[in-house]
């Protein structure tokens, strides 16, 4: 049995015509049911002949992940999902509401190999990459559960998207395709801890995907302490690849900067950050650290404001990211970690 969510449009059309002699236009109809009408059962695809429905039922599945647990923030409606995959592995996704848009934050790996000190996901190790269908299925499952159309997508859940490059890009193609989810690439953000050659590969695809880079520190010795991947790809190399990305795509890169009390929150840090971004068009998201496994603390409001002020005065676009779902520990990896602890 094949998961139909693993296929992009051309791939599905080819598969259905070559294997089952299903006419090409049928692919449009099937995609319309799945991606536009949120119908995940072949029997309910009423414009398909009985014969085609039978072929599909016998050979294909529309595999959405199972909702194991769901937490809804009483403050802002942010909804956090713990999903179970067919092999029993658990992943998390989050639905975030803003006045004019809905954002799904989805995972790309079970666990994560990067082991950033502040992040819950890495604590349980790395298990495997998600398949294309497992990436796509998260968004569809959230849409189905809420009966909504999601119009923004961030690859900011569990895992490092650029270490599952092919499947991530294939899922972007599916989300992007006007015959499938029809989500503009400009509404899709890939967040990475910074893998320079993969950032360049992404730039070469010439899509309008937004790139967000988790920087979190301003010197290599500081970044080494919280992001082990920095030993392999130090700040200069990450920034150089971001310059290439910006040059090739003409898009400004967003940088995520977690603020950690007494570690990376001084005005000197802010000035070093300004220096790192010289000659670049960037957007900086400052994120006071969320509850985390290593006990790092948020800076006081005065330090946060002061840091922001230095950036703004030096002409860097920056915001302090509003915390969403603070009552449901929406920082990724936490729900799964708790569940794994319950089980063990
Ligand atoms: N591996 C990718 C995407 C997953 S992490 C990346 O590194 O970007 C998504 C974002 O959540 C990253 O910016 C990450 O640094 C941030 N994050 C992880 N743990 C956090 C915490 N405790 N508080 C605030 N942000 C956190």
């Amino acid at each position: 049995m094949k998961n139909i969510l693993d296929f992009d449009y051309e791939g599905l059309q080819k598969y259905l015509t070559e294997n089952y002699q299903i006419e090409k236009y049928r692919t449009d109809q099937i995609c319309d049911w799945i991606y536009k009408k949120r119908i995940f059962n072949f029997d309910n695809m009423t414009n398909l002949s009985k014969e085609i429905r039978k072929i599909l039922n016998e050979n294909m599945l529309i595999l959405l992940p199972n909702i194991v647990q769901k937490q809804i923030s009483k403050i802002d409606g942010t909804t956090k999902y713990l999903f179970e995959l067919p092999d029993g592995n658990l992943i998390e996704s989050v639905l975030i509401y803003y006045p004019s848009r809905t954002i799904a934050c989805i995972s790309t790996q079970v666990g994560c190999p990067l082991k950033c000190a502040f992040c819950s996901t890495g604590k349980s190790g790395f298990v495997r990459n998600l398949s294309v269908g497992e990436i796509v299925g998260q968004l569809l499952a959230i849409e189905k559960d809420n009966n909504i159309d999601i119009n923004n997508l961030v690859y900011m859940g569990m895992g490092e998207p650029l270490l599952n490059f092919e499947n991530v890009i294939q899922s972007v193609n599916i989300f992007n395709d006007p015959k499938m989810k029809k989500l503009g690439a400009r509404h899709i953000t890939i967040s990475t801890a910074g893998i320079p050659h993969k950032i360049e590969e992404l730039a070469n695809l010439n899509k309008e995907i937004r790139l967000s880079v988790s920087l979190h520190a301003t010197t290599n010795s500081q970044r080494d302490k919280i992001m082990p991947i920095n030993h392999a790809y130090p700040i200069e190399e990450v920034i150089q690849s971001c310059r290439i990305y910006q040059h090739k795509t003409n898009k400004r890169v967003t940088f995520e900067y977690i603020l950690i009390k007494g570690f990376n929150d001084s005005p000197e840090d802010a000035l070093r950050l300004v220096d790192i971004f010289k000659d670049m068009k960037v957007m900086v998201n400052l994120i006071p650290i969320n509850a985390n496994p290593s006990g790092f603390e948020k800076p006081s409001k005065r330090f946060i404001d002061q840091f922001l002020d230095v950036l703004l005065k030096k002409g860097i676009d920056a915001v302090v990211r509003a915390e969403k779902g603070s009552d449901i520990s929406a920082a990724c990896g936490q729900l799964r970690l708790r569940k794994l602890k319950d089980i063990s």
Side-chain angles (χ1 to χ4, degrees):
M1 292 290 243
K2 298 251 185 212
N3 181 5
I4 204 163
L5 305 182
D6 279 326
F7 289 86
D8 64 8
Y9 178 77
E10 282 77 23
L12 183 61
Q13 197 168 56
K14 189 160 179 282
Y15 183 77
L16 295 178
T17 47
E18 284 181 4
N19 289 283
Y20 310 111
Q21 293 74 51
I22 293 178
E23 307 96 309
K24 285 190 166 172
Y25 76 97
R26 296 295 192 184
T27 301
D28 295 46
Q29 293 179 320
I30 296 167
C31 290
D32 194 58
W33 284 112
I34 296 176
Y35 293 97
K36 309 262 163 58
K37 300 197 175 88
R38 296 194 277 281
I39 295 296
F40 303 110
N41 181 333
F42 295 123
D43 289 327
N44 294 340
M45 300 185 177
T46 47
N47 56 2
L48 303 180
S49 67
K50 282 222 172 74
E51 196 185 308
I52 292 179
R53 282 185 243 170
K54 185 161 176 285
I55 295 173
L56 292 172
N57 273 323
E58 284 170 359
N59 299 285
M60 302 199 99
L61 295 165
I62 309 175
L63 262 184
L64 298 188
N66 270 333
I67 301 173
V68 183
Q69 206 179 317
K70 176 171 149 183
Q71 291 184 336
I72 305 175
S73 163
K74 290 195 179 68
I75 304 170
D76 53 37
T78 299
T79 307
K80 184 155 180 169
Y81 290 91
L82 184 67
F83 285 125
E84 184 179 26
L85 302 173
D87 66 357
N89 272 308
L90 301 171
I91 52 168
E92 291 178 23
S93 318
V94 185
L95 168 66
I96 306 157
Y97 295 95
Y98 283 94
S100 59
R101 59 207 167 113
T102 48
I103 305 184
C105 173
I106 60 174
S107 295
T108 55
Q109 299 183 312
V110 179
C112 182
L114 299 187
K115 302 206 177 319
C116 299
F118 45 79
C119 180
S120 302
T121 302
K123 292 291 151 197
S124 50
F126 171 66
V127 182
R128 66 171 175 85
N129 279 334
L130 295 188
S131 65
V132 175
E134 287 169 339
I135 299 173
V136 171
Q138 294 169 62
L139 180 119
L140 297 181
I142 297 175
E143 286 198 335
K144 179 182 175 209
D145 188 46
N146 297 279
N147 200 20
I148 52 166
D149 186 29
I150 289 171
N151 44 34
N152 276 271
L153 181 63
V154 294
Y155 288 79
M156 232 180 238
M158 299 169 58
E160 170 49 49
L162 299 189
L163 291 179
N164 187 10
F165 195 85
E166 271 180 34
N167 290 352
V168 164
I169 296 307
Q170 174 83 327
S171 70
V172 168
N173 290 338
I174 292 170
F175 289 131
N176 222 201
D177 198 312
K179 300 204 182 233
M180 300 182 110
K181 179 67 191 122
K182 204 183 172 195
L183 193 63
R186 277 174 296 125
H187 301 283
I188 299 177
T189 300
I190 293 183
S191 180
T192 176
I195 300 170
H197 60 285
K198 291 290 173 191
I199 291 178
E200 287 182 40
E201 213 174 317
L202 196 63
N204 288 332
L205 292 179
N206 225 344
K207 291 187 176 294
E208 294 198 47
I209 305 169
R210 285 171 192 268
L211 177 68
S212 184
V213 175
S214 300
L215 195 61
H216 307 333
T218 55
T219 67
N220 282 321
S221 62
Q222 192 185 33
R223 197 165 188 257
D224 283 347
K225 289 195 183 105
I226 51 170
M227 298 180 71
I229 195 181
N230 195 66
H231 294 289
Y233 306 116
I235 294 177
E236 317 75 74
E237 290 179 25
V238 174
I239 295 297
Q240 180 54 23
S241 67
C242 292
R243 284 179 197 273
I244 292 171
Y245 191 88
Q246 186 189 299
H247 184 71
K248 287 223 163 114
T249 61
N250 209 12
K251 290 232 154 298
R252 73 175 176 174
V253 176
T254 297
F255 286 88
E256 309 287 323
Y257 191 93
I258 294 180
L259 285 166
I260 304 172
K261 184 176 176 180
F263 178 75
N264 65 358
D265 61 343
S266 70
E268 293 74 34
D269 284 299
L271 285 170
R272 274 197 296 269
L273 206 52
V274 172
D275 198 46
I276 288 173
F277 296 143
K278 64 176 178 288
D279 325 319
M280 285 180 87
K281 268 192 303 177
V282 303
M283 172 73 198
V284 178
N285 274 337
L286 298 174
I287 313 158
I289 191 160
N290 285 318
N292 65 89
S294 47
F296 290 127
E297 286 173 41
K298 278 189 199 6
S300 64
K301 187 171 179 316
R302 190 168 70 81
F303 268 78
I304 297 170
D305 290 346
Q306 176 181 274
F307 199 98
L308 176 67
D309 214 43
V310 173
L311 298 185
L312 294 177
K313 285 217 172 91
K314 293 285 181 181
I316 303 260
D317 281 342
V319 291
V320 177
R321 196 157 76 190
E323 198 176 356
K324 290 275 180 180
S326 54
D327 54 332
I328 57 164
S329 62
C332 239
Q334 297 180 349
L335 211 57
R336 172 168 174 271
L337 202 60
R338 229 179 289 146
K339 191 83 185 174
L340 291 177
K341 279 184 184 146
D342 286 354
I343 296 166
S344 61

